[in-house]
Amino acid sequence: MTEIRNVAIIAHVDHGKTTLVDEILKQANIFRANQDVQDCVLDSNDIERERGITILSKNISVTYKDTKINIIDTPGHSDFGGQVERVLKLADGVLLLVDAAEGPMPQTRFVLDKALKLGLKPVVVINKIDKPDARPDVIHDKVFDLFCELDANDEQLEFPLLYGSGRDGWVVKDLDSDPRDSILPLMDAILEYIPAPKIVDGPVQAQVASLDYSDYVGRIGVGRVYRGELRITTPLSIIKRDGSIKAIQIKQLFVFEGLGRKETNCVTCGDLCAIVGIEGIDISDTITDPEHQDKLPLIAIDEPTISMLFKVNDSPFYGREGKYVSSRHLRERLFKEIEKDVALHVEETTGDSFKVSGRGVLHLAILMENMRREGYELAVGKPQVIYKTIDDVKQEPLEALSVDVPSGFAGKIIELVGVRKGEMTNMESRGERQLIEFEIPTRGLIGLRSKALTLSAGEAIVSHRFLKYTPFKGLIPHRLVGSLVSMGQGPAAAYAIDALQQRGVFFIPPNTETYEGMVVGEHSRDGELMVNLQKTKNLTNVRSSGTDRNLKIAPHIEMSLEQALEYIEDDELVELTPESIRLRKMHLGALERKRNKSK
């Protein structure tokens, strides 16, 4: 039997994790010599490629020196942090990737803390050494300080350190003397420092740590065998989270090989596998021998902190662009999503609307973007924080926020976060930039990223992670201005937009189709303003250079999906179709809105 190593790669967003895995795959000869390979192989999802972030945890394996190395690629963004904690249970060691200029960031700290508490052996790689502002010695000290702060044991504190450039495909132990031509020193370090899984003989015992989903076979449980051998032919029992036990029979077993999965009849102790054919399989389920029903410790699942209303699109443009528009379609799609994403919760509120809860605005925005691309039409409400009552006190989620910004903009960022009930906990100078750390309610984060980017001329790097629940900190001012709302249906005339420019800023260009109740711009004052965008210039037979006015229309503001979600108020919705993102009032008629306001 070949030896096995199970290693998870953890890193903050954009610290080069997926690029490094690409190089491991190339230099381990996973691809044919003539195979055309794209960059960021593991970011297989279109949205992952566009945004440059890993959303879904993925498993691959490479064989090096007769040892099978299972590599678990984990998300770096805190909204998907729930996946990271679970998949760490599959590993025996971690590769901690740190940017040679930025150093350890909040998400790095969060995941490393979990890994150290699980007793995993770390190997540290300082990546992006080729950066002009790289400072490897300083970063080494910062990583060591971080290990000390997280109460690492003596063995973990003596972590092996490597330097590398994932993009250029090399890793070295000694920056001064080693040749920079190969990623293989990293593979050797994995074999040398990451322990092999303990081989425990006896009745089978396996646990599910993450889920996948297929339209053909349903839920697929991804887990690890902790004792004995998991065989497809033997009868088994499953112990659920609530302690209930039932008999099962596995239909298919897969192990990870290269970028894919290989079907097998038997999985040995310590290896990772995908299990097909168990109805309702879930995170933390233990698969055991029927005569030795030993339950493994439960795996914690993160509670959602943000909820949103998803409803059927009932605007006048309903059904023009989308393929799936009914409440039945919406319901099926949402309940299919919770089959593979356990951090997502869906509740039916009325026949055509659902309350969907997740880990953050980005978590839910990715779901909406996927639905749009699949041909769904829907309308979504403003993100709402999930409150709890603990000891008769209303409590809300609190997050640790870090903003890396040029020194000249630090004052503006501190002021912005202060208005949103944030409290500064640390400020550190990094050359011409400042790293400022805050504790801020989750409510205060909604819309903060786009405002921070505006205030810092696009230079701010904003990241955050969930800390705890804390007593309610009081009201936070949201949008101080109102909306420009269309009063009629039809294309927006350039003449009308030009005449209304002094009243506010527009979100649509001329000739855009509008309808009554559609939010077309931002009013310069508080309160909504109804505008007639269909008004055109009256035609006369008088023409002279003095009577005609040149139209000078300012560029409109184009909003991304997240910006739209962060912008809307409680009485507004974002309408999503495969081709458009529109803002609208919840009640389209002006009279209907007045009636609801008076209630």
Side-chain angles (χ1 to χ4, degrees):
M1 189 189 89
T2 56
E3 280 204 25
I4 295 171
R5 296 288 187 278
N6 297 318
V7 58
I9 302 187
I10 56 177
H12 192 74
V13 177
D14 202 31
H15 279 200
K17 175 168 41 66
T18 306
T19 308
L20 187 78
V21 174
D22 277 2
E23 283 302 321
I24 291 174
L25 289 169
K26 285 173 190 170
Q27 296 191 28
N29 299 321
I30 291 295
F31 307 112
R32 297 190 315 273
N34 64 342
Q35 189 169 345
D36 183 25
V37 182
Q38 54 191 355
D39 291 336
C40 298
V41 178
L42 289 194
D43 284 351
S44 49
N45 182 313
D46 286 344
I47 299 177
E48 289 181 316
R49 292 182 165 280
E50 287 165 23
R51 294 170 184 253
I53 59 173
T54 302
I55 294 167
L56 303 168
S57 171
K58 303 174 191 71
N59 299 48
I60 58 163
S61 80
V62 296
T63 302
Y64 178 68
K65 292 185 177 176
D66 294 329
T67 303
K68 180 183 180 183
I69 303 173
N70 286 313
I71 299 172
I72 305 155
D73 184 29
T74 61
H77 196 285
S78 57
D79 279 18
F80 310 103
Q83 288 198 53
V84 182
E85 292 178 69
R86 297 196 302 273
V87 296
L88 285 178
K89 298 281 280 188
L90 301 173
D92 296 297
V94 292
L95 276 186
L96 174 65
L97 219 64
V98 182
D99 189 291
E102 293 179 9
M105 297 289 274
Q107 181 67 6
T108 318
R109 181 192 188 99
F110 169 68
V111 183
L112 180 63
D113 186 28
K114 302 283 181 191
L116 294 177
K117 282 179 179 161
L118 287 168
L120 303 183
K121 176 79 179 172
V123 173
V124 177
V125 181
I126 296 179
N127 194 27
K128 302 194 179 183
I129 287 289
D130 51 331
K131 270 189 168 183
D133 55 346
R135 40 187 192 145
D137 294 337
V138 176
I139 300 304
H140 181 196
D141 293 341
K142 285 183 176 294
V143 172
F144 187 81
D145 293 344
L146 177 61
F147 272 72
C148 293
E149 285 174 38
L150 297 176
D151 295 326
N153 61 37
D154 291 345
E155 190 185 353
Q156 289 169 332
L157 279 173
E158 292 176 8
F159 55 82
L161 180 69
L162 298 114
Y163 305 91
S165 168
R167 188 181 62 180
D168 295 337
W170 59 265
V171 171
V172 295
K173 273 191 172 181
D174 190 321
L175 262 181
D176 300 322
S177 59
D178 289 354
R180 303 181 178 187
D181 57 2
S182 168
I183 207 92
L184 299 181
L186 175 61
M187 311 292 282
D188 291 325
I190 291 173
L191 299 191
E192 184 179 348
Y193 298 109
I194 304 291
K198 289 177 184 169
I199 305 300
V200 184
D201 293 325
V204 67
Q205 191 180 39
Q207 189 172 37
V208 178
S210 67
L211 297 174
D212 199 354
Y213 184 80
S214 160
D215 288 334
Y216 302 104
V217 296
R219 268 195 185 184
I220 301 167
V222 177
R224 173 172 164 172
V225 180
Y226 290 94
R227 188 176 69 196
E229 290 184 342
L230 184 62
R231 293 181 178 275
I232 200 164
T233 51
T234 55
L236 299 161
S237 293
I238 189 166
I239 308 173
K240 305 295 286 181
R241 181 175 278 272
D242 59 5
S244 59
I245 302 171
K246 66 175 184 179
I248 54 161
Q249 183 70 52
I250 295 173
K251 290 181 182 164
Q252 284 179 299
L253 265 180
F254 295 89
V255 290
F256 297 97
E257 189 171 287
L259 292 171
R261 295 173 182 168
K262 175 186 167 189
E263 192 167 357
T264 182
N265 292 324
C266 173
V267 182
T268 55
C269 181
D271 205 354
L272 310 184
C273 61
I275 301 162
V276 174
I278 302 175
E279 194 177 337
I281 194 167
D282 210 343
I283 300 291
S284 203
D285 287 356
T286 306
I287 294 165
T288 65
D289 184 86
E291 294 177 15
H292 300 84
Q293 295 171 343
D294 306 327
K295 188 177 180 181
L296 284 161
L298 290 176
I299 299 173
I301 298 174
D302 287 348
E303 290 296 311
T305 56
I306 293 269
S307 69
M308 290 175 70
L309 179 76
F310 280 50
K311 65 193 290 286
V312 168
N313 180 20
D314 57 1
S315 82
F317 294 168
Y318 152 89
R320 286 192 186 183
E321 298 169 2
K323 195 163 52 167
Y324 307 111
V325 292
S326 69
S327 58
R328 178 177 62 83
H329 289 132
L330 187 59
R331 185 183 185 282
E332 282 175 4
R333 179 63 181 83
L334 290 174
F335 280 94
K336 178 182 167 184
E337 188 67 23
I338 59 174
E339 288 290 320
K340 59 183 175 185
D341 188 351
V342 290
L344 198 74
H345 291 196
V346 177
E347 296 172 44
E348 288 190 64
T349 50
T350 62
D352 62 353
S353 63
F354 304 83
K355 181 184 174 186
V356 182
S357 309
R359 292 288 298 159
V361 175
L362 180 65
H363 184 195
L364 296 175
I366 295 292
L367 168 62
M368 293 172 217
E369 187 63 43
N370 278 321
M371 289 174 71
R372 273 185 69 203
R373 293 178 184 210
E374 290 164 19
Y376 287 84
E377 279 193 18
L378 66 152
V380 294
K382 181 185 172 183
Q384 304 287 347
V385 167
I386 297 171
Y387 297 104
K388 288 184 177 179
T389 304
I390 303 171
D391 298 330
D392 296 328
V393 177
K394 183 181 181 182
Q395 304 224 346
E396 65 176 337
L398 187 76
E399 309 241 355
L401 166 74
S402 84
V403 185
D404 186 344
V405 73
S407 301
F409 299 112
K412 290 181 179 178
I413 296 295
I414 293 167
E415 185 183 346
L416 171 69
V417 178
V419 169
R420 292 163 174 255
K421 307 291 183 190
E423 295 174 9
M424 189 166 72
T425 55
N426 187 33
M427 189 169 180
E428 181 188 319
S429 182
R430 294 183 167 182
E432 295 179 1
R433 296 178 75 88
Q434 297 275 356
L435 177 69
I436 318 165
E437 294 177 356
F438 305 89
E439 288 186 357
I440 182 172
T442 302
R443 289 177 297 141
L445 287 172
I446 297 172
L448 181 108
R449 187 186 297 270
S450 52
K451 281 193 167 60
L453 286 169
T454 305
L455 287 175
S456 62
E459 290 273 352
I461 300 169
V462 181
S463 53
H464 57 89
R465 64 183 173 86
F466 173 74
L467 271 182
K468 59 184 178 182
Y469 269 82
T470 187
F472 185 70
K473 288 183 175 281
L475 295 173
I476 295 174
H478 189 229
R479 211 170 78 202
L480 302 175
V481 289
S483 309
L484 298 178
V485 183
S486 173
M487 61 165 59
Q489 185 165 332
Y495 178 79
I497 290 177
D498 180 55
L500 289 162
Q501 283 184 121
Q502 289 181 330
R503 298 300 186 96
V505 184
F506 280 85
F507 301 150
I508 59 167
N511 299 321
T512 302
E513 284 286 337
T514 63
Y515 55 79
E516 184 187 359
M518 180 170 158
V519 176
V520 292
E522 181 178 89
H523 192 197
S524 53
R525 297 182 183 179
D526 190 15
E528 72 176 55
L529 178 70
M530 299 291 290
V531 293
N532 180 4
L533 291 181
Q534 284 70 45
K535 185 177 180 182
T536 53
K537 188 174 187 293
N538 289 330
L539 297 178
T540 69
N541 29 357
V542 178
R543 284 285 177 275
S544 73
S545 59
T547 56
D548 274 356
R549 181 164 55 87
N550 288 331
L551 301 184
K552 291 181 181 175
I553 297 174
H556 68 285
I557 296 173
E558 190 90 39
M559 283 197 187
S560 69
L561 175 54
E562 284 103 287
Q563 287 171 328
L565 294 173
E566 291 166 351
Y567 181 82
I568 57 173
E569 285 289 6
D570 292 334
D571 66 337
E572 294 169 347
L573 298 172
V574 178
E575 179 189 344
L576 300 171
T577 71
E579 294 172 29
S580 312
I581 297 174
R582 303 184 187 98
L583 305 187
R584 51 162 283 194
K585 288 290 180 183
M586 196 172 283
H587 302 288
L588 297 177
L591 194 61
E592 199 180 351
R593 288 200 294 280
K594 278 180 185 170
R595 279 200 201 112
N596 277 280
K597 218 171 191 178
S598 61
K599 286 179 187 175

